[in-house]
Amino acid sequence: DAGITQSPRHKVTETGTPVTLRCHQTENHRYMYWYRQDPGHGLRLIHYSYGVKDTDKGEVSDGYSVSRSKTEDFLLTLESATSSQTSVYFCAISEAGISYEQYFGPGTRLTVT
Amino acid sequence: DAKTTQPPSMDCAEGRAANLPCNHSTISGNEYVYWYRQIHSQGPQYIIHGLKNNETNEMASLIITEDRKSSTLILPHATLRDTAVYYCIVRVGGGKSTFGDGTTLTVKP
C-alpha cells in the first residue's frame, strides 16, 4: 500500500471554529489532492497541489484553503467550519506525468455541529 | 476533463464475470481512462487504466472501444469481496479529475 496517512481520522468540531486536516506521504510523489465525499455520492475535488507551494482549486474549493510547505505534507484548512462541511475527506497522491494513477489515504471523518 | 456516465447499480452472480460499462463520449485524445473502486467507506483503490488499447492486470481487464467513447471494466470471476462502488474517470496528467457517483456492484452468492 502507498504510504499515505491522514490525521486526525475522526474529528467533531463546532460551527465557526477553524479546523486543519493533515495528509502525509512517504512516496515522494509530486501531486497531492484533497477530496470530500458526502453520503451516497462520489468524490469531489477540493484543492490539489502539483509541487511545494504550488496549488490549484478544484470544483468545491469555497470555504477551504490548503498549504504545502514540504513535499510530504499537504494541509487542508477550514477557516470557519460550517455544518455543510460535515463530510469524509480523502487525501490522494500521484506521480507526475500523463498516466499515473492516484493512491488514496484512509480518510478523515469530520462532523461540524 | 471529460465527464463519464455509469449505471447507478448492477448485480452479478458470484463466480461469473462482471462487466461494468462507462460512457465517456467527450473524451479528448490525450485523456486516459481510469477505474477505481471503493469498498465500504475506505479510500478508493486503483484498479486499471488505459489510453486506447485493451489492458489486463491481475485484478481486471479494460476494454476501450475503437472510437474511445466508451469502455468496459471486466472482473473475470467476481467474488463477494468485489462488492463495491466502481468509478470510471478520464484524465490527463496529474491535474484535476472528476469522480462521478459510480456504479454500485453487488456480487450475490
Side-chain angles (χ1 to χ4, degrees):
Chain A
D1 289 341
I4 310 170
T5 56
Q6 294 184 229
S7 58
R9 294 292 313 280
H10 301 272
K11 186 171 181 65
V12 179
T13 191
E14 294 183 349
T15 298
T17 59
V19 177
T20 295
L21 309 182
R22 180 185 184 230
C23 177
H24 179 78
Q25 61 148 328
T26 59
E27 306 296 323
N28 201 36
H29 284 358
R30 178 179 172 186
Y31 284 83
M32 298 186 75
Y33 312 78
W34 277 108
Y35 292 87
R36 63 176 287 174
Q37 185 172 36
D38 300 308
H41 294 284
L43 288 83
R44 292 184 291 171
L45 182 66
I46 305 171
H47 284 279
Y48 72 101
S49 169
Y50 48 96
V52 174
K53 299 189 187 301
D54 294 322
T55 64
D56 199 359
K57 296 179 179 180
E59 57 185 311
V60 290
S61 59
D62 288 347
Y64 301 95
S65 62
V66 291
S67 65
R68 190 169 178 201
S69 59
K70 298 184 293 184
T71 298
E72 59 265 35
D73 289 325
F74 192 33
L75 304 180
L76 176 71
T77 297
L78 290 66
E79 301 290 349
S80 178
T82 67
S83 58
S84 64
Q85 294 176 311
T86 292
S87 189
V88 179
Y89 292 85
F90 289 101
C91 173
I93 64 174
S94 73
E95 294 187 73
I98 64 171
S99 67
Y100 287 101
E101 61 271 26
Q102 292 174 303
Y103 295 98
F104 286 80
T108 293
R109 184 173 297 276
L110 176 67
T111 302
V112 184
T113 60
Chain B
D1 290 337
K3 289 188 175 180
T4 61
T5 303
Q6 299 177 252
S9 64
M10 295 181 62
D11 292 340
C12 178
E14 187 177 20
R16 304 296 294 270
N19 296 277
L20 292 90
C22 180
N23 180 284
H24 32 79
S25 59
T26 60
I27 192 171
S28 61
N30 58 351
E31 287 182 310
Y32 285 71
V33 179
Y34 291 80
W35 283 85
Y36 294 81
R37 72 180 183 185
Q38 186 174 27
I39 299 174
H40 298 300
S41 298
Q42 300 174 19
Q45 175 191 22
Y46 165 80
I47 301 173
I48 198 168
H49 75 283
L51 182 63
K52 55 183 178 181
N53 297 321
N54 298 338
E55 302 287 344
T56 296
N57 63 20
E58 65 279 4
M59 292 182 66
S61 294
L62 173 61
I63 308 298
I64 302 174
T65 58
E66 190 170 347
D67 63 8
R68 302 208 326 121
K69 293 184 176 182
S70 65
S71 62
T72 301
L73 178 73
I74 301 173
L75 308 178
H77 305 286
T79 71
L80 299 179
R81 288 177 295 180
D82 291 322
T83 291
V85 179
Y86 288 78
Y87 297 100
C88 165
I89 67 169
V90 293
R91 60 191 279 259
V92 58
K96 301 179 183 181
S97 60
T98 300
F99 283 71
D101 291 342
T103 296
T104 298
L105 174 69
T106 303
V107 180
K108 299 184 175 181

